[in-house]
């Protein structure tokens, strides 16, 4: 199923400008048919899943405690 930019923005509850920014940065692909820009919904869903995966990985990285430095306890 293909959605217009406005439909995609409504579907994702994002401003139209954000969708246009993603298109301009080539983070999502589009199809132009008779001067109308269309976004394949499943491709966009894949993009969202990848962004969620990156966010989880980043959060997990930030939650990992920093190991103690072995040199700190070294008393010469």
């Amino acid at each position: 199923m293909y959605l217009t930019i406005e439909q995609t923005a409504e579907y994702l509850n994002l401003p139209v400008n954000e969708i246009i920014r993603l298109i301009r940065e080539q983070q999502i692909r589009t199809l132009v048919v008779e001067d109308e820009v269309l976004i394949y919904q499943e491709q966009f869903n894949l993009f969202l899943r990848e962004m969620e995966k990156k966010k989880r990985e980043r959060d997990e990285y930030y939650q990992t405690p920093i190991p103690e430095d072995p040199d700190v306890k070294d008393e010469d």
Side-chain angles (χ1 to χ4, degrees):
M1 173 181 216
Y2 288 92
L3 302 172
T4 64
I5 292 175
E6 292 79 15
Q7 290 171 334
T8 303
E10 184 178 321
Y11 172 72
L12 298 172
N13 199 21
L14 291 172
V16 173
N17 292 340
E18 182 70 14
I19 304 300
I20 292 171
R21 182 187 65 80
L22 293 171
I23 293 169
R24 188 178 25 226
E25 292 177 358
Q26 297 180 349
Q27 293 188 15
I28 56 173
R29 288 182 283 168
T30 61
L31 177 67
V32 179
V33 177
E34 296 179 7
D35 297 332
E36 187 171 23
V37 178
L38 301 174
I39 300 168
Y40 186 56
Q41 184 176 4
E42 188 55 38
Q43 182 266 329
F44 199 76
N45 289 336
L46 176 64
F47 168 76
L48 290 176
R49 286 193 298 267
E50 289 297 317
M51 293 305 291
E52 287 294 322
K53 179 181 173 185
K54 288 179 183 180
K55 182 180 176 187
R56 280 194 308 272
E57 290 172 354
R58 185 193 70 218
D59 290 345
E60 184 178 305
Y61 174 77
Y62 286 135
Q63 296 298 325
T64 305
I66 300 173
E68 286 192 37
D69 187 17
D71 293 339
V72 171
K73 294 182 178 181
D74 186 23
E75 295 187 31
D76 290 315

